[in-house]
Amino acid sequence: MGRPLRVGMIGAGGISRAHLRAYQRFPGQAALVAVCDVREDAARQRAAEAGVSAVYTDAERMLREASIDAVDLCTVHDQHAPLGIAAAGCGKHVLVEKPMACSMKECLDMVDAAARAGVILMAAQCQRFQPDYRGVRHLLKNGEIGRIYAVQFDSMQNLPALLPQSHWLFDGQRAGGGIVISVSVHKIDLLRYFLGNVRSVFGVCRTLRPEFIHNAEDYACATLEFEAGIVGEHFATYSGFRMPWGEKFLIFGEMGAFHDTQVASRTRGLPGEGWAGQFGGYAPVEPIREGLPTDDGFVNEILHFADCCVTGREPLTSGRDNLETMKVIFGIYESSRTGRRVDLAAL
């Protein structure tokens, strides 16, 4: 076995804790060797947890001085593009937390920068690396519910109850938007993995609570048309008082349906009879762990990134692939601004 991928983490906020698990458990494959944050106390705390001595408060200095092969961007969203482009320019591979960037142009610029530098750019879309969702995809691809007709999915949180109003997620300039870009991005990407790319969208976004500023929407609805002809409906809120779940999807087919990681079909679940029979009878989907080192999507995505950096193969969630996810998000925003359906090929 060769030496591990040497990684510098930029951003020591909440999401970095999830990424840290990979470096702690699998240092022989991905070794965290430097931590950077503009808040020195946060950088030192994360570095101490990782057993790392190299601490920086200036990302450009870390890129120049630290002995690293790659960066793991866990920063505020509006820093993804400038830092990712700078890292690529220094010859470093780039793993960037979702969302990739705050505009379509920034996303394209990141992909172009990585291509010019010959480095890997990967979006950290962790849900594609979860065994239970791999199980759902396997059944879908093997025709478990026949032809797929439609999908409905939700992304719901009560952000004002979770974070102080001063937090950057309330600021549309720093986050790139509101609930859609920060949370819906998960299920939009996952459903693309299941069902293929989206052709067009129509969206309505609203900013209703005063905590949300600079066009950070806390309510949104959207309809999607997939290239395969599948129709989709999405509801999202950052201001739900209380919800029965946070993220869920329903996929409807000619011979069955999925409710997140449960399935009801002719071969799985309980047969339904009468009026009540149409509302239940789901059975758990068997997870698929083949090719996944752990049951932790965050750990799995980082190990996948490390492997791609070593072998040169295209990541499952490459920056180029993730452009199609970001088109859906920015298409919803454009549709809400114009009141018109948006053809994503035009973005």
Side-chain angles (χ1 to χ4, degrees):
M1 179 191 292
R3 66 170 176 80
L5 184 77
R6 298 168 302 187
V7 180
M9 177 182 284
I10 306 179
I15 198 64
S16 68
R17 296 189 188 98
H19 287 222
L20 187 60
R21 296 195 292 264
Y23 305 116
Q24 291 172 323
R25 293 178 60 185
F26 295 90
Q29 293 169 252
L32 189 64
V33 298
V35 177
C36 177
D37 196 291
V38 293
R39 304 161 301 161
E40 185 174 357
D41 57 340
R44 291 198 177 281
Q45 178 182 345
R46 198 66 71 240
E49 293 168 355
V52 170
S53 59
V55 175
Y56 296 86
T57 57
D58 184 316
E60 291 186 3
R61 182 184 172 196
M62 188 188 81
L63 290 172
R64 292 194 308 269
E65 297 181 0
S67 181
I68 58 174
D69 308 305
V71 296
D72 183 352
L73 298 182
C74 297
T75 64
V76 177
H77 299 167
D78 64 356
Q79 295 303 300
H80 287 181
L83 290 173
I85 292 168
C90 292
K92 313 301 181 185
H93 302 295
V94 179
L95 176 68
V96 57
E97 248 304 327
K98 59 80 196 164
M100 186 156 61
C102 291
S103 72
M104 202 65 225
K105 182 182 184 304
E106 286 185 337
C107 293
L108 290 165
D109 287 347
M110 291 177 72
V111 171
D112 289 345
R116 286 195 305 272
V119 299
I120 296 292
L121 171 63
M122 175 175 154
Q125 295 284 0
C126 63
Q127 294 191 0
R128 292 199 193 191
F129 296 90
Q130 294 178 202
D132 51 357
Y133 288 143
R134 289 282 178 94
V136 172
R137 186 174 188 269
H138 172 76
L139 292 178
L140 285 167
K141 297 301 181 184
N142 282 275
E144 181 67 26
I145 62 172
R147 179 185 171 190
I148 300 166
Y149 293 146
V151 60
Q152 187 274 331
F153 60 109
D154 300 319
S155 303
M156 303 186 294
Q157 293 181 10
N158 185 354
L159 197 67
L162 302 174
L163 295 173
Q165 187 176 346
S166 59
H167 195 279
W168 59 269
L169 277 173
F170 292 95
D171 187 340
Q173 289 183 350
R174 304 230 61 195
I179 181 73
V180 175
I181 197 169
S182 295
V183 182
S184 301
V185 60
H186 277 300
K187 286 296 181 284
I188 289 169
D189 185 78
L190 183 66
L191 291 169
R192 278 191 54 244
Y193 185 48
F194 291 164
L195 309 175
N197 289 337
V198 177
R199 178 183 293 125
S200 65
V201 298
F202 181 84
V204 177
C205 300
R206 295 287 183 267
T207 303
L208 299 178
R209 288 190 57 152
E211 294 94 333
F212 295 90
I213 60 174
H214 299 139
N215 296 316
E217 78 287 349
D218 58 335
Y219 279 90
C221 297
T223 58
L224 298 77
E225 181 188 7
F226 288 77
E227 290 180 355
I230 300 162
V231 295
E233 176 189 57
H234 178 47
F235 171 75
T237 180
Y238 247 160
S239 296
F241 176 75
R242 190 165 294 142
M243 293 76 64
W245 55 77
E247 296 181 61
K248 287 286 185 180
F249 61 80
L250 283 162
I251 299 175
F252 299 95
E254 61 180 335
M255 297 185 298
F258 284 86
H259 179 210
D260 209 62
T261 55
Q262 298 185 77
V263 61
S265 66
R266 293 179 177 177
T267 60
R268 288 175 171 81
L270 300 174
E273 296 182 2
W275 175 263
Q278 65 186 309
F279 298 111
Y282 285 84
V285 171
E286 183 177 351
I288 291 183
R289 295 182 170 84
E290 183 178 355
L292 297 176
T294 75
D295 285 345
D296 187 327
F298 287 102
V299 172
N300 293 340
E301 70 181 359
I302 290 170
L303 296 181
H304 176 74
F305 172 68
D307 179 69
C308 290
C309 291
V310 171
T311 63
R313 66 188 178 105
E314 184 88 353
L316 174 64
T317 56
S318 68
R320 193 173 305 279
D321 175 87
N322 202 241
L323 290 175
E324 296 298 325
T325 294
M326 301 310 296
K327 283 182 181 180
V328 178
I329 291 163
F330 296 124
I332 291 171
Y333 288 158
E334 177 68 15
S335 177
S336 183
R337 283 192 294 269
T338 64
R340 298 176 181 175
R341 178 170 292 276
V342 172
D343 182 349
L344 299 188
L347 296 182

